Amino acid sequence: MADDRSENTAGGIALMPVVAAALLDARGRVLLQRRPSGKQMADLWEFPGGKVEAGETPEAALVRELGEELAIRVVPAAMTPLAFASAALGAKHLLLLLYVIRDWTGTPQPLEASALAWVAPAAMAELAMPPADVPLVAALAHFLAIQG
Ligand SMILES: Nc1nc2c([nH]c(=O)n2[C@H]2C[C@H](O)[C@@H](COP(=O)(O)OP(=O)(O)OP(=O)(O)O)O2)c(=O)[nH]1
């Protein structure tokens, strides 16, 4: 019998773990990237990140994704877990883990996105983002408001 443990299919639902970063600059702005045309959820603004691959920790996946997408270097110790979203996504179920990151090396470049933008928390709600991000944006705005 096939061993499906690595596919996260317990209960019949295929979980899709995705990691994402709220990169914050010194002014409290957040880096968002625009998904390219032709990809699922094209043209929506999102937190940089991507799918956790089999055998990877979430933190290792975020190190890899931020290198691939933005050409920046981050270390797991600089990642603070902030919030998660749990939402149906087609035949799968998205588990989206959002980390706050204030320290990294390099200048973010849009290697895979069609655009990058540093966005003030108050302006985030005006951008079109994937539905799963809505509660994450609210959690981030709250976090930034209490952090000052
Ligand atoms: N990175 C990111 N993905 C998000 C966000 N919100 C959201 O629903 N997603 C979804 C979109 C995709 O279905 C999934 C991420 O998959 P992806 O295709 O961008 O990931 P990837 O970089 O591993 O890409 P690929 O190699 O599979 O092309 O998570 C978000 O804020 N950031």
Side-chain angles (χ1 to χ4, degrees):
M1 199 169 108
D3 181 347
D4 67 359
R5 284 172 298 176
S6 63
E7 294 175 13
N8 279 325
T9 53
I13 295 170
L15 279 182
M16 183 171 86
V18 171
V19 284
L23 293 164
L24 299 182
D25 73 3
R27 292 162 55 184
R29 297 178 307 175
V30 183
L31 185 69
L32 296 180
Q33 67 179 16
R34 196 166 197 197
R35 293 178 67 84
S37 311
K39 221 178 167 183
Q40 185 192 27
M41 301 197 206
D43 301 328
L44 297 185
W45 291 87
E46 68 173 8
F47 299 103
K51 299 181 190 99
V52 180
E53 292 178 356
E56 237 181 1
T57 64
E59 292 76 19
L62 197 50
V63 169
R64 176 181 52 73
E65 289 285 353
L66 296 179
E68 290 172 1
E69 295 185 349
L70 302 174
I72 62 171
R73 279 169 45 86
V74 297
V75 294
M79 300 173 183
T80 303
L82 178 75
F84 69 91
S86 174
L89 188 65
K92 295 189 177 177
H93 192 91
L94 171 68
L95 198 54
L96 177 56
L97 310 175
L98 182 68
Y99 294 78
V100 166
I101 300 178
R102 295 181 188 272
D103 296 309
W104 60 88
T105 306
T107 302
Q109 297 164 45
L111 299 185
E112 296 185 4
S114 58
L116 296 182
W118 287 102
V119 182
M124 274 190 296
E126 292 162 25
L127 293 175
M129 295 182 75
D133 288 43
V134 173
L136 299 182
V137 167
L140 180 60
H142 179 70
F143 171 82
L144 291 170
I146 61 175
Q147 286 274 307

